[in-house]
Amino acid sequence: MMSSRLVLALAAVSVIGCRAGGGSDKALLESREKEVKERIVSGVGGDDPLAKWILPDILREISGLALLDDGRLVTHSDERARVYVIDPMRGVIQKYFNLGKGGIVADFEAIAVSGADMYLLVSNGDVYQFREGDDRETVAFTRYVTNLGKECEFESLEIEPGSGAFIMPCKRIDKKSERDQLKIYRWLRQPDGRAAVSSITIPLADAIGSNDWKELSPSDVAIDRRTGNYLIVTGREKALLEITPQGQVVRSMPVPGSPQQPEGVAITPDGVLIISDEGVTRPADITLYSWQGVIGGQAPPTPDTTQVPAAIPDSN
């Protein structure tokens, strides 16, 4: 097992700083995992998190989130192609790896996963495809130029199951005549190399609903595999939307908790909603919620919120 150390991001949190693999550290992580799983089974409602992982400063500008098939979580920093792999049940950053020597520098905004393939999105619509690397490894990549940057700025990417199409909500639309709508692009590279591009548009008033937001600036999107619906978070408005692939708004509500700037969203097959929150006036964090609880499901009382710092790889 790769050695790591626990970082005390909050002074109020008392954690034994042992190397991973040591008896105390192993017991601590197993205890974390057990508590989170117990909360998932018992249910937690509304704004009550299943767990909150306080992140180190290297992920203060955390961006998108995505889930691997084995349940691990991947995320990335904002301006460098460095991917971090996290155990969301234990709150441990297991490793990181780079695209290109030293990590490509660009305005990276989102990450997505489809099987063994991972994808990083640049705000201009370019997408980098790659495979998981070992700790601190540099991996090869393939770059796709979608040519959608002339239409809008992007911060969100998801991969459509089955087809492999890129699902890309616009953060900011360039055409003034279209700024009264939420627009989601679908980009698919066909066998002959040509791209098939389509989009759905939702009137902004429908997406906002009864909320008091003036606009919506999507910062990430995830697909709920149980329904096929899109879950979209916005950083500026702190909004959480559920939209069908046909453009019907299922629900529109504030992101749970008190986020600073929600930047990433993922949802597990068993309905655990995961939100990444960029550090603004306090450290960044990753928070786990019961999706059923967030949307109004009934849940029994639960113990106090788990707020413990994530662990990062040793620099040695």
Side-chain angles (χ1 to χ4, degrees):
M1 181 182 293
M2 179 190 62
S3 64
S4 62
R5 63 180 184 272
L6 296 175
V7 177
L8 303 181
L10 295 180
V13 177
S14 177
V15 180
I16 300 174
C18 302
R19 289 183 178 275
S24 297
D25 195 47
K26 182 179 179 181
L28 170 67
L29 299 181
E30 288 177 348
S31 175
R32 289 185 182 184
E33 182 175 17
K34 180 182 178 182
E35 182 175 0
V36 173
K37 288 183 176 179
E38 286 175 349
R39 291 182 181 216
I40 293 172
V41 171
S42 64
V44 175
D47 287 0
D48 268 343
L50 300 168
K52 183 185 290 290
W53 307 126
I54 309 302
L55 298 175
D57 198 55
I58 54 172
L59 280 174
R60 188 175 185 84
E61 294 186 11
I62 189 171
S63 220
L65 294 177
L67 282 163
L68 298 170
D69 289 343
D70 61 9
R72 290 175 300 154
L73 192 68
V74 289
T75 188
H76 61 98
S77 52
D78 203 17
E79 296 182 356
R80 187 177 179 187
R82 172 170 287 180
V83 176
Y84 296 84
V85 181
I86 297 172
D87 181 342
M89 294 294 105
R90 296 186 172 196
V92 175
I93 299 177
Q94 298 176 323
K95 65 179 179 181
Y96 66 80
F97 59 93
N98 299 308
L99 275 66
K101 187 176 181 180
I104 301 167
V105 176
D107 187 17
F108 290 102
E109 297 290 358
I111 190 167
V113 171
S114 178
D117 293 313
M118 301 184 193
Y119 302 82
L120 274 175
L121 171 75
V122 183
S123 59
N124 66 0
D126 289 356
V127 176
Y128 290 76
Q129 180 182 358
F130 54 96
R131 293 286 179 94
E132 180 180 351
D134 293 331
D135 185 35
R136 294 174 174 78
E137 184 183 6
T138 295
V139 300
F141 60 85
T142 299
R143 177 171 168 246
Y144 296 100
V145 178
T146 66
N147 291 314
L148 291 176
K150 61 183 182 295
E151 303 295 334
C152 60
E153 179 185 347
F154 295 97
E155 278 197 3
S156 310
L157 175 69
E158 179 62 292
I159 309 301
E160 185 177 70
S163 71
F166 300 161
I167 304 301
M168 303 166 61
C170 286
K171 177 186 178 182
R172 184 166 42 246
I173 298 175
D174 288 341
K175 296 179 181 178
K176 290 184 178 180
S177 61
E178 296 183 354
R179 290 180 183 172
D180 60 348
Q181 62 190 20
L182 179 65
K183 192 167 190 175
I184 303 174
Y185 278 98
R186 180 182 183 275
W187 188 95
L188 177 64
R189 186 174 184 270
Q190 301 179 100
D192 63 4
R194 293 184 297 175
V197 182
S198 59
S199 65
I200 59 171
T201 56
I202 302 103
L204 197 58
D206 291 351
I208 290 175
S210 61
N211 299 285
D212 60 1
W213 311 312
K214 302 302 181 185
E215 57 184 3
L216 290 170
S217 307
S219 56
D220 201 15
V221 59
I223 293 177
D224 187 341
R225 265 45 177 188
R226 300 166 302 169
T227 63
N229 292 344
Y230 305 152
L231 301 183
I232 296 174
V233 294
T234 75
R236 186 177 304 160
E237 300 80 20
K238 305 175 185 178
L240 175 59
L241 313 174
E242 182 179 3
I243 298 173
T244 69
Q246 295 74 39
Q248 177 185 358
V249 180
V250 178
R251 59 179 47 86
S252 177
M253 60 189 293
V255 172
S258 301
Q260 303 172 91
Q261 187 170 305
E263 289 289 339
V265 62
I267 186 166
T268 68
D270 57 350
V272 175
L273 179 72
I274 308 176
I275 303 288
S276 64
D277 192 21
E278 184 174 325
V280 181
T281 60
R282 61 177 187 263
D285 60 60
I286 291 175
T287 308
L288 283 62
Y289 296 95
S290 163
W291 176 230
Q292 189 62 34
V294 167
I295 62 178
Q298 299 299 312
T302 57
D304 291 340
T305 299
T306 298
Q307 290 198 51
V308 293
I312 61 172
D314 239 335
S315 58
N316 296 329

